[in-house]
Coordinates of all heavy atoms in Angstrom, one line a residue:
M28 N 13.3 -16.5 -6.6 CA 12.5 -15.7 -7.5 C 13.0 -14.4 -7.6 O 13.4 -13.6 -6.7 CB 11.0 -15.7 -7.0 CG 10.1 -14.9 -8.0 SD 8.4 -14.9 -7.3 CE 7.9 -16.5 -7.1
S29 N 13.3 -14.0 -8.9 CA 13.8 -12.6 -9.1 C 12.7 -11.6 -8.7 O 11.6 -11.8 -8.6 CB 14.1 -12.4 -10.6 OG 13.0 -12.2 -11.4
T30 N 13.3 -10.3 -8.5 CA 12.4 -9.3 -8.0 C 11.3 -8.9 -9.1 O 10.2 -8.6 -8.8 CB 13.2 -7.9 -7.8 OG1 14.2 -8.3 -6.7 CG2 12.4 -6.8 -7.4
H31 N 11.7 -8.9 -10.4 CA 10.8 -8.6 -11.5 C 9.7 -9.6 -11.5 O 8.5 -9.3 -11.7 CB 11.5 -8.5 -12.8 CG 12.6 -7.5 -12.9 ND1 12.3 -6.1 -12.8 CD2 13.9 -7.6 -13.0 CE1 13.3 -5.4 -12.8 NE2 14.4 -6.2 -13.0
V32 N 10.1 -10.9 -11.4 CA 9.0 -12.0 -11.4 C 8.1 -11.8 -10.1 O 6.8 -11.9 -10.3 CB 9.6 -13.4 -11.5 CG1 8.5 -14.4 -11.2 CG2 10.4 -13.6 -12.8
F33 N 8.6 -11.6 -9.1 CA 8.0 -11.4 -7.8 C 7.0 -10.2 -7.9 O 5.7 -10.3 -7.7 CB 8.8 -11.1 -6.6 CG 8.1 -11.1 -5.4 CD1 7.7 -12.2 -4.5 CD2 7.7 -9.9 -4.8 CE1 7.1 -12.1 -3.4 CE2 7.1 -9.7 -3.6 CZ 6.7 -10.9 -2.9
D34 N 7.4 -9.1 -8.5 CA 6.6 -7.8 -8.7 C 5.5 -8.2 -9.6 O 4.3 -7.7 -9.4 CB 7.4 -6.8 -9.1 CG 8.3 -6.1 -8.1 OD1 8.0 -6.5 -6.8 OD2 9.1 -5.4 -8.3
Y35 N 5.7 -8.9 -10.7 CA 4.8 -9.3 -11.7 C 3.6 -10.1 -11.0 O 2.4 -9.9 -11.1 CB 5.3 -9.9 -12.9 CG 4.3 -10.5 -13.9 CD1 3.6 -9.6 -14.7 CD2 3.8 -11.9 -13.8 CE1 2.6 -10.1 -15.6 CE2 2.8 -12.3 -14.7 CZ 2.2 -11.4 -15.6 OH 1.2 -11.8 -16.4
V36 N 4.0 -11.1 -10.3 CA 3.1 -12.1 -9.7 C 2.3 -11.3 -8.6 O 1.1 -11.5 -8.6 CB 3.8 -13.4 -9.2 CG1 2.9 -14.2 -8.4 CG2 4.4 -14.2 -10.4
V37 N 3.0 -10.6 -7.7 CA 2.3 -10.0 -6.5 C 1.5 -8.8 -7.0 O 0.4 -8.7 -6.7 CB 3.3 -9.7 -5.5 CG1 2.6 -9.0 -4.4 CG2 3.9 -11.0 -4.9
V38 N 2.1 -7.9 -7.8 CA 1.4 -6.7 -8.1 C 0.4 -6.9 -9.2 O -0.7 -6.4 -9.1 CB 2.5 -5.5 -8.6 CG1 1.7 -4.3 -9.0 CG2 3.4 -5.3 -7.4
G39 N 0.8 -7.6 -10.3 CA -0.2 -7.8 -11.4 C -1.0 -9.0 -11.3 O -1.9 -9.2 -12.2
G40 N -0.9 -10.0 -10.3 CA -1.5 -11.1 -10.3 C -2.8 -11.1 -9.5 O -3.4 -12.2 -9.4
G41 N -3.2 -10.0 -8.9 CA -4.4 -10.0 -8.1 C -5.6 -10.1 -8.9 O -5.7 -9.7 -10.0
T42 N -6.7 -10.6 -8.3 CA -7.9 -10.6 -9.0 C -9.0 -10.0 -8.1 O -8.6 -9.6 -7.0 CB -8.4 -12.0 -9.3 OG1 -8.7 -12.7 -8.2 CG2 -7.4 -12.8 -10.2
A43 N -10.2 -9.8 -8.5 CA -11.3 -9.2 -7.7 C -11.4 -10.0 -6.4 O -11.9 -9.6 -5.5 CB -12.6 -9.1 -8.4
G44 N -11.1 -11.3 -6.5 CA -11.3 -12.2 -5.2 C -10.1 -12.4 -4.4 O -10.1 -12.9 -3.3
N45 N -9.0 -11.7 -4.8 CA -7.7 -11.8 -4.0 C -7.2 -10.5 -3.6 O -7.1 -9.6 -4.5 CB -6.8 -12.6 -4.7 CG -7.1 -14.0 -5.1 OD1 -7.8 -14.6 -4.3 ND2 -6.8 -14.4 -6.3
V46 N -6.8 -10.3 -2.3 CA -6.0 -9.2 -2.0 C -4.6 -9.5 -1.8 O -4.4 -10.5 -1.1 CB -6.5 -8.6 -0.6 CG1 -5.8 -7.4 -0.2 CG2 -8.1 -8.1 -0.7
V47 N -3.7 -8.9 -2.5 CA -2.3 -9.2 -2.4 C -1.5 -8.0 -2.0 O -1.9 -6.8 -2.2 CB -1.8 -9.8 -3.6 CG1 -2.3 -11.2 -3.9 CG2 -2.0 -8.8 -4.9
A48 N -0.3 -8.1 -1.4 CA 0.5 -7.1 -1.1 C 1.3 -6.6 -2.2 O 1.7 -7.4 -3.2 CB 1.5 -7.5 0.0
A49 N 1.6 -5.3 -2.3 CA 2.5 -4.9 -3.4 C 3.8 -4.7 -3.2 O 4.7 -4.0 -3.8 CB 1.9 -3.5 -3.9
R50 N 4.3 -5.2 -2.0 CA 5.7 -5.2 -1.6 C 6.1 -3.8 -1.4 O 7.2 -3.4 -1.9 CB 6.6 -6.0 -2.6 CG 7.7 -6.5 -2.0 CD 8.4 -7.5 -2.9 NE 9.8 -7.3 -2.8 CZ 10.8 -7.1 -3.5 NH1 10.5 -6.9 -4.8 NH2 12.1 -7.0 -3.3
L51 N 5.4 -3.0 -0.8 CA 5.8 -1.6 -0.5 C 6.8 -1.6 0.6 O 6.8 -2.5 1.5 CB 4.6 -0.8 -0.2 CG 3.5 -0.7 -1.5 CD1 2.4 0.2 -1.0 CD2 4.1 -0.2 -2.6
S52 N 7.5 -0.5 0.6 CA 8.5 -0.3 1.6 C 8.0 -0.3 3.1 O 6.9 0.3 3.3 CB 9.4 0.8 1.5 OG 10.3 1.1 2.3
E53 N 8.7 -0.7 4.1 CA 8.3 -0.5 5.5 C 8.7 0.9 5.9 O 8.2 1.3 7.0 CB 8.9 -1.6 6.3 CG 8.2 -2.9 6.0 CD 8.6 -4.0 7.0 OE1 9.1 -3.7 8.0 OE2 8.5 -5.3 6.6
D54 N 9.5 1.6 5.3 CA 10.0 2.9 5.5 C 9.9 3.8 4.3 O 10.9 4.1 3.8 CB 11.4 2.9 6.2 CG 11.8 4.3 6.8 OD1 10.9 5.1 7.0 OD2 13.0 4.4 7.0
P55 N 8.6 4.1 3.8 CA 8.5 4.7 2.5 C 9.1 6.1 2.4 O 9.5 6.5 1.3 CB 7.0 4.7 2.4 CG 6.4 4.8 3.8 CD 7.4 3.9 4.5
D56 N 9.2 6.8 3.5 CA 9.8 8.2 3.3 C 11.2 8.2 3.1 O 11.7 9.1 2.4 CB 9.4 9.1 4.6 CG 7.9 9.3 4.7 OD1 7.2 9.4 3.6 OD2 7.4 9.4 5.9
D57 N 11.9 7.2 3.4 CA 13.3 7.1 3.3 C 13.7 6.2 2.1 O 14.9 6.0 1.9 CB 14.1 6.6 4.6 CG 14.0 7.7 5.7 OD1 13.9 8.9 5.4 OD2 14.1 7.3 6.9
D58 N 12.8 5.6 1.5 CA 13.0 4.7 0.3 C 12.6 5.4 -0.9 O 11.4 5.6 -1.2 CB 12.3 3.4 0.5 CG 12.5 2.4 -0.6 OD1 13.3 2.6 -1.5 OD2 11.9 1.2 -0.4
P59 N 13.5 5.8 -1.8 CA 13.2 6.5 -3.0 C 12.5 5.6 -4.0 O 11.8 6.1 -4.9 CB 14.5 6.9 -3.6 CG 15.6 6.1 -2.9 CD 15.0 5.7 -1.7
S60 N 12.6 4.3 -3.9 CA 11.8 3.5 -4.9 C 10.4 3.1 -4.4 O 9.7 2.5 -5.1 CB 12.6 2.2 -5.1 OG 12.6 1.4 -3.9
A61 N 10.1 3.6 -3.1 CA 8.6 3.3 -2.7 C 7.7 4.1 -3.5 O 7.9 5.4 -3.6 CB 8.7 3.6 -1.1
P62 N 6.6 3.7 -3.9 CA 5.7 4.4 -4.7 C 4.7 5.3 -3.9 O 4.2 6.2 -4.4 CB 4.8 3.3 -5.5 CG 5.0 2.1 -4.6 CD 6.3 2.2 -4.0
L63 N 4.7 5.0 -2.5 CA 3.8 5.8 -1.7 C 4.6 6.3 -0.6 O 5.7 5.8 -0.1 CB 2.7 4.9 -1.0 CG 1.8 4.2 -2.0 CD1 0.8 3.5 -1.2 CD2 1.0 5.1 -2.9
D64 N 4.2 7.5 0.1 CA 4.8 7.9 1.3 C 4.1 7.3 2.4 O 3.1 6.6 2.2 CB 4.9 9.4 1.3 CG 3.6 10.2 1.4 OD1 2.6 9.5 1.6 OD2 3.5 11.4 1.1
A65 N 4.5 7.7 3.7 CA 3.8 7.2 4.8 C 2.3 7.6 5.0 O 1.6 7.0 5.8 CB 4.7 7.5 6.1
R66 N 1.9 8.7 4.3 CA 0.5 9.1 4.4 C -0.2 8.6 3.2 O -1.3 9.1 2.9 CB 0.5 10.6 4.5 CG 1.3 11.1 5.7 CD 1.2 12.6 5.9 NE -0.2 13.0 6.3 CZ -0.8 12.8 7.5 NH1 -0.2 12.3 8.5 NH2 -2.0 13.3 7.7
L67 N 0.2 7.5 2.6 CA -0.5 6.9 1.4 C -0.7 7.7 0.2 O -1.5 7.4 -0.7 CB -1.8 6.3 1.9 CG -1.9 5.5 3.1 CD1 -3.4 5.1 3.5 CD2 -1.1 4.2 2.9
R68 N 0.1 8.8 0.1 CA 0.2 9.5 -1.3 C 1.0 9.0 -2.1 O 2.2 8.5 -1.8 CB 0.6 11.0 -0.8 CG -0.4 11.8 0.1 CD 0.1 13.1 0.4 NE 1.3 12.9 1.3 CZ 1.7 13.8 2.2 NH1 0.9 14.7 2.6 NH2 2.7 13.6 2.9
V69 N 0.6 8.9 -3.4 CA 1.5 8.5 -4.6 C 2.6 9.6 -4.8 O 2.2 10.8 -5.0 CB 0.6 8.2 -5.9 CG1 1.6 7.8 -6.9 CG2 -0.4 7.2 -5.5
K70 N 3.9 9.1 -4.7 CA 4.9 10.1 -4.9 C 4.9 10.5 -6.4 O 4.8 9.8 -7.3 CB 6.3 9.4 -4.6 CG 6.4 9.0 -3.1 CD 7.7 8.4 -2.9 CE 8.0 8.1 -1.4 NZ 9.3 7.3 -1.2
G71 N 5.0 11.8 -6.5 CA 5.1 12.5 -7.8 C 3.7 12.8 -8.5 O 3.6 13.3 -9.4
V72 N 2.6 12.4 -7.8 CA 1.3 12.7 -8.2 C 0.5 13.4 -7.3 O 0.2 12.9 -6.2 CB 0.5 11.4 -8.7 CG1 -0.9 11.6 -9.4 CG2 1.4 10.5 -9.7
E73 N 0.1 14.6 -7.5 CA -0.6 15.4 -6.6 C -2.0 15.1 -6.5 O -2.7 14.8 -7.4 CB -0.4 17.0 -6.9 CG -1.0 17.8 -5.9 CD -0.8 19.3 -6.3 OE1 0.1 19.6 -7.0 OE2 -1.5 20.2 -5.8
G74 N -2.5 14.9 -5.2 CA -4.0 14.6 -5.0 C -4.3 13.2 -5.0 O -5.5 12.9 -5.2
L75 N -3.4 12.2 -5.1 CA -3.7 10.9 -5.3 C -3.2 10.0 -4.2 O -2.0 10.1 -3.9 CB -3.2 10.3 -6.7 CG -3.4 8.8 -7.0 CD1 -5.0 8.5 -7.2 CD2 -2.7 8.4 -8.2
R76 N -4.1 9.2 -3.4 CA -3.6 8.4 -2.5 C -4.1 6.9 -2.9 O -5.1 6.8 -3.6 CB -4.3 8.7 -1.2 CG -3.9 10.1 -0.6 CD -4.4 10.4 0.7 NE -4.2 11.8 1.0 CZ -3.6 12.2 2.1 NH1 -3.1 11.3 3.0 NH2 -3.4 13.4 2.3
V77 N -3.5 5.9 -2.3 CA -3.9 4.6 -2.5 C -4.2 3.9 -1.2 O -3.5 4.0 -0.3 CB -2.7 3.7 -3.2 CG1 -3.1 2.2 -3.2 CG2 -2.4 4.3 -4.5
A78 N -5.5 3.4 -1.1 CA -6.0 2.8 0.1 C -6.6 1.5 -0.2 O -7.8 1.4 -0.3 CB -7.0 3.8 0.8
D79 N -5.7 0.6 -0.4 CA -6.2 -0.8 -0.7 C -5.2 -1.8 -0.1 O -4.2 -1.5 0.5 CB -6.5 -1.1 -2.1 CG -5.3 -0.8 -3.0 OD1 -4.1 -0.9 -2.7 OD2 -5.6 -0.7 -4.2
G80 N -5.4 -3.0 -0.5 CA -4.5 -4.0 0.0 C -3.0 -4.0 -0.6 O -2.1 -4.5 0.0
S81 N -2.8 -3.2 -1.6 CA -1.4 -3.1 -2.1 C -0.6 -2.2 -1.2 O 0.6 -2.1 -1.5 CB -1.5 -2.5 -3.5 OG -2.0 -1.1 -3.5
D82 N -1.2 -1.6 -0.3 CA -0.4 -0.7 0.7 C 0.4 -1.6 1.6 O 1.4 -1.1 2.4 CB -1.3 0.1 1.5 CG -2.0 1.2 0.6 OD1 -1.4 1.4 -0.5 OD2 -3.0 1.8 1.1
M83 N 0.0 -2.8 1.7 CA 0.8 -3.7 2.8 C 2.1 -4.1 2.2 O 2.2 -4.7 1.2 CB -0.1 -5.0 3.2 CG -1.4 -4.6 3.7 SD -2.3 -6.1 4.1 CE -3.3 -6.3 2.6
P84 N 3.3 -4.0 3.1 CA 4.6 -4.5 2.5 C 4.6 -6.0 2.5 O 5.4 -6.5 1.8 CB 5.4 -3.8 3.6 CG 4.7 -3.4 4.7 CD 3.3 -3.3 4.4
D85 N 3.8 -6.6 3.4 CA 3.8 -8.1 3.4 C 2.4 -8.5 3.6 O 1.4 -7.9 4.1 CB 4.6 -8.6 4.6 CG 6.0 -8.3 4.5 OD1 6.7 -8.7 3.6 OD2 6.6 -7.7 5.4
L86 N 2.1 -9.8 3.1 CA 0.8 -10.4 3.4 C 0.5 -10.4 4.8 O 1.4 -11.0 5.5 CB 0.6 -11.6 2.7 CG 0.7 -11.7 1.1 CD1 0.6 -13.0 0.5 CD2 -0.6 -10.8 0.6
V87 N -0.7 -10.2 5.3 CA -1.1 -10.4 6.6 C -1.5 -11.8 6.9 O -1.9 -12.5 5.9 CB -2.1 -9.4 7.0 CG1 -1.6 -8.0 7.0 CG2 -3.4 -9.6 6.2
T88 N -1.4 -12.3 8.1 CA -1.9 -13.7 8.4 C -3.4 -13.8 8.8 O -3.8 -14.8 9.0 CB -1.1 -14.2 9.6 OG1 -1.1 -13.4 10.7 CG2 0.5 -14.3 9.0
V89 N -4.0 -12.5 9.1 CA -5.3 -12.5 9.4 C -6.1 -12.2 8.1 O -5.6 -12.0 7.1 CB -5.7 -11.4 10.4 CG1 -5.0 -11.8 11.7 CG2 -5.3 -10.0 10.0
N90 N -7.5 -12.1 8.3 CA -8.3 -11.9 7.0 C -7.9 -10.5 6.4 O -7.9 -9.4 7.0 CB -9.7 -11.7 7.5 CG -10.7 -11.6 6.5 OD1 -10.3 -11.1 5.3 ND2 -11.9 -11.8 6.8
P91 N -7.5 -10.6 5.2 CA -6.9 -9.4 4.5 C -8.1 -8.4 4.2 O -7.8 -7.2 4.1 CB -6.3 -9.9 3.1 CG -6.9 -11.3 3.0 CD -7.3 -11.9 4.3
C92 N -9.2 -8.8 4.1 CA -10.5 -7.9 4.0 C -10.5 -6.9 5.0 O -10.6 -5.7 4.8 CB -11.6 -8.7 3.8 SG -13.1 -7.8 3.4
I93 N -10.5 -7.5 6.3 CA -10.5 -6.6 7.5 C -9.4 -5.6 7.5 O -9.5 -4.4 7.8 CB -10.5 -7.4 8.8 CG1 -11.8 -8.3 8.7 CG2 -10.4 -6.6 10.0 CD1 -11.9 -9.3 9.8
T94 N -8.2 -6.2 7.3 CA -6.9 -5.3 7.2 C -7.1 -4.1 6.1 O -6.8 -3.0 6.4 CB -5.7 -6.1 7.0 OG1 -5.7 -7.2 7.9 CG2 -4.4 -5.3 7.0
T95 N -7.6 -4.6 5.0 CA -7.8 -3.5 3.9 C -8.8 -2.5 4.4 O -8.7 -1.3 4.0 CB -8.2 -4.3 2.6 OG1 -7.2 -5.3 2.3 CG2 -8.4 -3.3 1.5
M96 N -9.9 -2.9 5.0 CA -10.9 -1.9 5.5 C -10.2 -1.0 6.5 O -10.5 0.2 6.5 CB -12.1 -2.6 6.1 CG -13.0 -3.3 5.3 SD -14.4 -3.9 6.0 CE -14.1 -5.7 6.0
M97 N -9.2 -1.5 7.4 CA -8.7 -0.5 8.2 C -7.7 0.4 7.6 O -7.5 1.5 8.0 CB -7.9 -1.4 9.3 CG -8.8 -2.2 10.2 SD -10.1 -1.2 11.0 CE -9.1 0.0 11.9
I98 N -7.1 -0.1 6.5 CA -6.2 0.8 5.6 C -7.1 2.0 5.1 O -6.8 3.2 5.1 CB -5.6 0.1 4.6 CG1 -4.5 -0.8 5.1 CG2 -4.9 1.1 3.6 CD1 -3.9 -1.8 4.1
G99 N -8.3 1.7 4.7 CA -9.3 2.6 4.2 C -9.6 3.7 5.3 O -9.7 4.9 5.1
E100 N -9.9 3.1 6.6 CA -10.2 4.0 7.7 C -9.0 5.0 8.0 O -9.2 6.2 8.2 CB -10.4 3.2 8.9 CG -11.8 2.3 8.8 CD -13.1 3.2 8.9 OE1 -12.9 4.3 9.6 OE2 -14.0 2.9 8.2
K101 N -7.8 4.4 8.0 CA -6.6 5.3 8.2 C -6.5 6.2 7.1 O -6.2 7.4 7.5 CB -5.4 4.3 8.3 CG -4.1 5.1 8.5 CD -4.2 5.8 9.9 CE -2.9 6.5 10.2 NZ -2.8 7.1 11.4
C102 N -6.7 5.9 5.8 CA -6.7 6.9 4.9 C -7.7 8.0 5.0 O -7.3 9.2 4.8 CB -6.9 6.3 3.5 SG -6.6 7.4 2.1
A103 N -8.9 7.7 5.5 CA -9.9 8.7 5.7 C -9.4 9.7 6.9 O -9.5 10.9 6.7 CB -11.2 8.0 6.1
D104 N -8.8 9.1 8.0 CA -8.2 10.0 8.9 C -7.2 10.8 8.4 O -7.1 12.0 8.8 CB -7.7 9.0 10.0 CG -8.7 8.3 10.8 OD1 -9.8 8.7 10.8 OD2 -8.3 7.3 11.6
L105 N -6.2 10.3 7.6 CA -5.2 11.2 6.9 C -5.8 12.3 6.1 O -5.2 13.4 6.2 CB -4.2 10.2 6.2 CG -3.4 9.2 6.9 CD1 -2.8 8.3 6.0 CD2 -2.5 9.9 7.9
L106 N -6.8 12.0 5.4 CA -7.5 13.0 4.5 C -8.0 14.1 5.4 O -7.9 15.3 5.1 CB -8.5 12.3 3.7 CG -8.0 11.5 2.5 CD1 -9.2 10.8 1.8 CD2 -7.4 12.4 1.4
R107 N -8.7 13.7 6.5 CA -9.3 14.7 7.4 C -8.1 15.5 8.0 O -8.2 16.8 8.1 CB -10.1 14.1 8.5 CG -11.5 13.7 8.1 CD -12.3 13.3 9.3 NE -12.0 11.9 9.8 CZ -12.4 10.8 9.4 NH1 -13.2 10.8 8.4 NH2 -12.0 9.7 9.9
E108 N -7.0 14.9 8.5 CA -5.9 15.8 9.0 C -5.3 16.7 8.0 O -4.9 17.8 8.4 CB -4.8 14.7 9.5 CG -5.2 13.9 10.7 CD -4.1 12.9 10.9 OE1 -3.0 12.9 10.3 OE2 -4.3 12.0 11.8
D109 N -5.3 16.4 6.7 CA -4.6 17.2 5.7 C -5.6 18.2 5.1 O -5.1 19.1 4.4 CB -4.1 16.3 4.6 CG -2.9 15.5 5.0 OD1 -2.3 15.7 6.2 OD2 -2.5 14.5 4.3
A110 N -6.9 18.1 5.5 CA -7.8 19.1 4.9 C -7.7 20.5 5.5 O -7.2 20.7 6.6 CB -9.2 18.6 5.1

């Protein structure tokens, strides 16, 4: 499957009932094509963070809802640290 097709299916194919990974980099600070940095900030957009299932570089094998909640908890911690 080509990268473009994969990105369309994975990034654009999610619905309210599905959590999918956005194929983000596992080393976002050193990857210029990664949309987020390691602190969940959107690169090039001041004041915007993403804390949802799209932050995962790969789909998890456990319940994605629980994993997504933990991403939100981590984002809250990052926001407190940066305040």
